[in-house]
Amino acid sequence: MAVNERTTTGLVAKIKLVKSQVSKMNLLLHILIVEDSEDDLLLLLRELRRGGYTPDYVRVETADEMQAALDRQPWDIVIADYTLPRFSAPEALELLQQQQDIPFIIVSGTIGEEAAVAAMRAGAHDYLLKDNLTRLVPAVERELREANERQQRLWTEQALQESEQRFRQLAENITESVFWMADPTAQQMLYVSPAYENIWGNSCESLYANFREWIEAIHLDDRERIRTNFFEQSLLGNYDEEYRIVRPDGSLRWIRDRGFPIKDHHGTAYRSVGFAEDITNRKSTETMLRRTERLESLGTLSSGIAHDLNNMLTPIIGVAQLLPLKFPNVDDQTKRLLQILDQSAHRGADLVKQILSFSSGVEGKRTNTQVGDVLLEIQKIIQQTFPKNIELSIDLPPDSWLIAADETLLHQVFMNLCVNARDAMSDGGKLSITIKNIMIDENYALMNLNAQAGSYVVVTVADTGMGIPPKILKNIFDPFFTTKEIGKGTGLGLSTAMGIVKSHHGFIDVLSEIGSGTRFKVFLPAIDIVAAISIAAGPNVADSKLPMGQSELILVVDDEVPVQEITQVTLEVHGYRVITANDGIEAIATYAENKHEISVVLLDMMMPSLDSATTIRTLRKL
């Protein structure tokens, strides 16, 4: 059989039609039909069956019947005649729109063009003429497909809304600030969590209105780096930065900021989501650890440093004490200079002891102390070293009570307070220091947990400087806390002062006002007044003369020649004979030659060649 081109085309069309019908065969269609004509109903059903559908239908003729049908089950589509005796398509459409959003098709034999247009504007999806039902199946297919697409979009939107809602609930219950923004180059913030307000100190609304607010809050030293890296890296998933921000109140915060891209189904990044957290406490802890490590290193070195300093100070002290003996008839001014030399050298030696005490945790020696004597030394330092635009006022009554204290530690406390006062008065001002005896009763002790009833010596150090803000006043005694610039303060001064005062069973009270200055009151418990009077009236050991030797021979062993010489001269001045050795090996040899004459061996504990412990064991065997 010959097959021409027209025949082939027709066969292909018939095959496509059969495939389409097979694909829809037995496709159940839940249909609500608004129709009063039985014949028209049958025509509709026949056309739908020809199109491959199996209609599951209900026919209604009134509003009540339609309402009952809508309440009974969901429907895929509604087909309505335009005019019924007791009902109409526009009324059916209005009733349907109040409850459901499903396709609505008008099939009528009398509808005019104006009525059809009005129905479409009211929400009808299509209209057909009963004498041309060939469009029925294509219209139903189209509307079902579009209804399905609308439903899919609705489900997608609902899923997105639910996802966004869960995202917001998560974001709003964590301490990190979560942000969600369009392409960063657009500089448009879509969402930021409430934690932003706690960290940055600005409102979320202000950030929505002005995205640059975030950039402008970044510390000037970090701003350009963050601006560049954020815009270049956040959509690549490589953005992870730490930087500083300056809050509206002037306080500084450290931030860790991370950004990740959101990609579409093509893999293209079109949004950015990120997390920003406040890491200020972590940064402070890291800084404290680094400073602690440095202090530990200093502690390790302190014994060696102390040994070297003592070797330098010993000759100075010795010379200062020997010169008055060598030259007893010098004038008063020379005697005073020698006294200053001796006092300064002893102060240096005391500081060396303090370094060793600090590194080893050993408390210094406590003696009955007149606080005024310590403050007199500080007065001299202030007058010689402080700027001339700082006026010093000091009131040291001679009848202040004695306290049991380490003078070197007290010197450190009051010197620290005075230096802080100086730093607070960069443009000059008045520094006042006063001493007062007070009695604390039970009522006051109840109001101050650090106080106990009894007698106290109170030293007040006050300045007229800038004052301390109330927000940081409670932190000034914390270790490593400082408001000074990097390199100008360790944050250990006041914490050390507080520790020293507490170790003396005292306490510190501070009052400050912005623009008016700061006042520190140091409360130190006085010793028993009667005992203090008897001690003060006792003999002065320092003034008593040292006993003279009877030409006993003493072996002095020290690798420092100046220490050897000053020790030798001191002993010889006091009636002893002296031989010297530079190290342990020489000491053993010298002792072996003179062991029957040597009465005492003075031995440095840190020497080269042979350690002191071995030297002592060998000498004892000899």
Side-chain angles (χ1 to χ4, degrees), residues 19-38:
K19 286 184 177 181
S20 175
Q21 291 175 342
V22 170
S23 66
K24 296 182 291 185
M25 192 65 68
N26 297 322
L27 182 61
L28 187 62
L29 182 65
H30 300 286
I31 181 170
L32 181 60
I33 301 176
V34 184
E35 179 62 71
D36 62 335
S37 170
E38 189 72 26

Side-chain angles (χ1 to χ4, degrees), residues 10 59 245 250 283 347 396-397 433 441 515 554 571 581:
R59 181 169 66 92
I245 64 170
K283 282 290 186 179
R347 176 62 66 194
L396 308 177
I433 305 173
D441 57 19
I554 298 176
L571 291 171

Side-chain angles (χ1 to χ4, degrees), residues 546-558:
L546 294 175
M548 298 296 290
Q550 302 298 321
S551 297
E552 294 92 340
L553 182 62
I554 298 176
L555 171 61
V556 175
V557 186
D558 200 302

